Every structure is written in structure tokens, then in C-alpha cells.
Amino acid sequence: MTSDIFDFCSSMTDEQDGRARELIERAAAKWPLRILHVLSDADAPLRFSRLMERVEGISQKVLTQTLRTLERDGLVIRTLYPQVPPRVEYELTPLGRDLLMQVVSLWRWIVEHLDDFDACKAVKLTATADA
Amino acid sequence: MTSDIFDFCSSMTDEQDGRARELIERAAAKWPLRILHVLSDADAPLRFSRLMERVEGISQKVLTQTLRTLERDGLVIRTLYPQVPPRVEYELTPLGRDLLMQVVSLWRWIVEHLDDFDACKAVKLTATADA
DNA sequence: CAGAATCCTAAGAGATACTG
DNA sequence: CAGTATCTCTTAGGATTCTG
């Protein structure tokens, strides 16, 4: 069994498990990873409008929402320069950068195994009857 | 910069990127990880009704849908024994097991850093004005 | 037993218009 | 410029009923 791999699951409180699960769900949603990636690719903090351009297909509303969530989760920093017109810059936190690296290694593993995901299409769909 | 970490991103086709993204999105949704985990904990294939019991809170419809998706993605195997009444068993594929292990290591990293996610709550919200 | 079919609600996402 | 507010529409998901 691979149960040994999951030993740490038992050593985890329900609260820890729940919070980690929430973080994964939120981070793996449609937009967050793209945003984190764009921020990580930039060599400087990005303004809201630059993000809109580079995260292709996102709406202004959803970008705002997603950035707020990422900020609450401690993954991005929002810096408001109180000018007229206003200027706001977004950048990754160290934690956001670290999390992205973890996710990227998972990503890489998946890409390296894409063929396997395909190969499994020809599996048994029925079996001969026996109790 | 951490760009070196992401070198493989450039070496990836858009199609690979898209498919990996889809797989991550689907796997990180509300139920799939729970189901994979339950299947991995069991020491034998599980019937549909056993899954319903152990994946707490899931509805029959969503369990069916999610299992179909996991099957299409090559993560679980569905075996139908054509009896009356019917008997269907689900189990992880080797690929499903491997993917789960990858996700678990990400999970573990997050749990180990939960305090950091909290610590980031006290960040600067505004900055003094300067060009 | 394992699920398909149906109905329903609520959240998420897009488009548009407006504002400090 | 960087949002907020509002509206609509699609979709995910739950509850229930029915069947091979």
C-alpha cells in the first residue's frame, strides 16, 4: 500500500486539512494560477491595467475579485499610490512565489505524464461476472 | 528572478499547457481529491454505495459525474460486474495513485506553511506617494 | 445496487454603465 | 486609472423520483 505516503494525513488536524483544501481549491481555480504566473514573469510590480492585458480573456470584475482573494491569502501584495489618477501595483509575496514554484513542479510532473493520461483511455469497461 | 524555475514553461506547447491546466482544475475541484483519497485509503476496490458513505456530504448525482470525469482522465478504473442487482467497483489507476502522491506533497507543503499564510495578513495597504 | 432523469436554487462569470 | 454597481445568463450542485 501507499498508505505510508499519507501518514502525515493522520497527523493533521481537521482544521489544517480544511484550510489547506480551501487554499488549493482557490489557487487551482480558473484564473489565480494565470495571474500568479504573469506576476512572476514580470520583472517588476504590475499595474491593474497591465494585468488586464496580460491575463488574456479575464474580465475586469473577475480580475478584481481574484486579486482580492489572492491578497487575502497572502499571495500578492497590493500597493496603492494615492495619486490622481490612482495608481495601484500588484506583486507576488515571497509566499506567493514559493507556492507557485510548488505548483509548477506539480504542473511539470503532469506535462511529463500527459501521454499516460491519454494511454489510459483503453481500459476494461466491463468484466466477466464472478462474485 | 525565479524565471529559471519556469524555463520549462517556454518549452511547453500551448496545447500541453492547456491540457495540464484542465487536469489541475478538474482534480482540484471540490470532490475529486476526496474521492481519490478515499479510494487510496481503501485496501480494495470500492462499490458505489461504499463511496457514497465515505465521501461525506456528496450527492449521488455529483458522485456519478465526478467518477465519470476521473475515469475519462485515466485516474480511476470502473469495473462493472453484470449481475442482478448490478455491482460496480472503483479503484485507482497507477496514474491516479501517482497523481495523488504529487498532490499530497503539495498539500503537505501548504500545511507546513499555514502559519505563513496567516502571517501575511498585516501587510501595507497603502504607500506614500511617489512617482 | 447503481444510476438516469427531472426539477430547482444559488453561486460564478460576462457585459455594461458609472465614479473618485 | 482602478475600480464599484447592476443586470443577466450560464453552470454547479442538491433533492427527489424512477428503473434495469
Side-chain angles (χ1 to χ4, degrees), chain A residues 1-128:
Chain A
M1 278 295 93
T2 53
S3 316
D4 48 313
I5 308 285
F6 302 105
D7 276 353
F8 98 100
C9 291
S10 345
S11 70
M12 198 166 47
T13 71
D14 279 359
E15 199 225 338
Q16 286 178 321
D17 185 52
R19 289 188 51 214
R21 186 182 304 274
E22 284 175 24
L23 286 167
I24 286 189
E25 265 185 48
R26 282 203 295 271
K30 191 176 181 185
W31 299 109
L33 286 181
R34 292 194 102 88
I35 295 175
L36 294 181
H37 190 189
V38 165
L39 286 176
S40 134
D41 267 354
D43 47 354
L46 287 181
R47 305 184 62 157
F48 187 86
S49 39
R50 301 299 133 246
L51 273 170
M52 274 291 281
E53 291 164 8
R54 301 193 192 186
V55 182
E56 202 161 354
I58 200 170
S59 70
Q60 175 269 338
K61 180 179 123 189
V62 174
L63 178 56
T64 302
Q65 285 175 351
T66 310
L67 283 171
R68 294 283 184 276
T69 302
L70 292 173
E71 195 190 352
R72 272 201 309 278
D73 284 341
L75 302 178
V76 308
I77 293 176
R78 175 181 185 271
T79 308
L80 163 66
Y81 298 90
Q83 308 169 345
V84 181
R87 175 168 143 234
V88 177
E89 288 185 348
Y90 294 91
E91 63 190 310
L92 289 184
T93 63
L95 181 67
R97 211 170 280 279
D98 290 346
L99 175 64
L100 184 58
M101 293 203 304
Q102 299 293 322
V103 173
V104 163
S105 71
L106 171 61
W107 203 294
R108 176 176 356 212
W109 184 89
I110 291 179
V111 168
E112 282 165 0
H113 290 76
L114 275 181
D115 289 346
D116 300 336
F117 284 88
D118 270 345
C120 286
K121 290 302 157 53
V123 294
K124 61 175 172 181
L125 291 174
T126 60
T128 54

Side-chain angles (χ1 to χ4, degrees), chain B residues 6 14 18 22 31 34 48 82 87 99 105 108 110 113 126:
Chain B
F6 302 106
D14 280 359
E22 283 174 24
W31 298 109
R34 294 194 100 89
F48 187 87
R87 175 168 143 232
L99 176 65
S105 71
R108 178 181 351 216
I110 292 179
H113 291 76
T126 61

Side-chain angles (χ1 to χ4, degrees), chain A residues 37 41 104 107-109 111-112 114, chain B residues 3-18:
Chain A
H37 190 189
D41 267 354
V104 163
W107 203 294
R108 176 176 356 212
W109 184 89
V111 168
E112 282 165 0
L114 275 181
Chain B
S3 316
D4 49 310
I5 308 286
F6 302 106
D7 275 351
F8 98 101
C9 290
S10 345
S11 69
M12 196 165 49
T13 70
D14 280 359
E15 200 225 335
Q16 287 178 320
D17 184 53

Side-chain angles (χ1 to χ4, degrees), chain B residues 42-111:
Chain B
D43 48 354
L46 286 181
R47 306 186 62 159
F48 187 87
S49 39
R50 300 299 131 247
L51 274 170
M52 275 289 283
E53 293 165 7
R54 301 192 192 185
V55 182
E56 203 161 354
I58 201 170
S59 70
Q60 174 265 327
K61 180 179 127 188
V62 174
L63 178 56
T64 303
Q65 285 176 350
T66 309
L67 283 170
R68 292 285 184 275
T69 302
L70 292 172
E71 194 189 355
R72 273 201 310 277
D73 285 341
L75 302 177
V76 309
I77 293 175
R78 174 181 186 272
T79 307
L80 163 66
Y81 297 90
Q83 309 169 345
V84 179
R87 175 168 143 232
V88 178
E89 288 185 347
Y90 295 91
E91 63 190 308
L92 289 184
T93 63
L95 182 66
R97 210 170 281 277
D98 290 345
L99 176 65
L100 185 58
M101 292 202 306
Q102 299 292 324
V103 172
V104 164
S105 71
L106 172 60
W107 203 293
R108 178 181 351 216
W109 184 90
I110 292 179
V111 169

